[in-house]
């Protein structure tokens, strides 16, 4: 007849669960930071001022259009949309 003896105390299931969660969180954080570091390696995209001005003008036109659309339904919303569109 043989007997086996373990010198280490058994780890409780709850402690093992927390260890597994900790390892998973650490692996996730390492993968996330590795992915973010790779983003900065790519070339920076520069927007010209002309296209930026056109995009702003288009956005303002859309806001004014929405303001006209909701003028009869909700005057406060319409005024707020106009105020947002008028900002620089």
């Amino acid at each position: 007849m043989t007997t086996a003896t373990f010198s280490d105390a058994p780890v409780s299931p709850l402690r093992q669960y927390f260890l597994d969660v900790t390892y998973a969180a650490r692996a996730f954080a390492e993968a996330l930071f590795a992915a973010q570091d790779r983003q900065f390696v790519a070339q920076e995209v520069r927007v010209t001022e002309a296209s930026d001005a056109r995009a702003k003008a288009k956005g303002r036109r859309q806001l004014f259009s929405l303001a006209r659309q909701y003028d009869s339904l909700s005057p406060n919303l319409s005024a707020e949309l106009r105020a947002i569109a008028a900002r620089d």
Side-chain angles (χ1 to χ4, degrees):
M1 202 168 163
T2 61
T3 59
T5 58
F6 295 105
S7 61
D8 293 340
V11 179
S12 71
L14 184 61
R15 184 172 178 173
Q16 186 63 42
Y17 173 76
F18 285 128
L19 283 173
D20 290 342
V21 168
T22 303
Y23 293 145
R26 180 178 290 166
F28 175 75
E30 288 174 358
L32 181 66
F33 291 130
Q36 284 183 349
D37 287 341
R38 277 184 260 139
Q39 285 179 351
F40 297 116
V41 174
Q43 266 188 332
E44 191 175 316
V45 177
R46 297 185 184 199
V47 179
T48 62
E49 289 185 22
S51 64
D52 191 34
R54 278 183 270 152
K56 283 183 181 179
K58 181 180 179 184
R60 285 185 179 144
R61 282 194 307 269
Q62 288 175 342
L63 283 172
F64 281 123
S65 173
L66 279 173
R68 279 193 305 273
Q69 182 180 352
Y70 289 108
D71 200 18
S72 62
L73 183 66
S74 176
N76 289 338
L77 174 63
S78 179
E80 194 67 31
L81 288 171
R82 285 190 184 98
I84 292 170
R87 288 186 205 158
D88 248 348

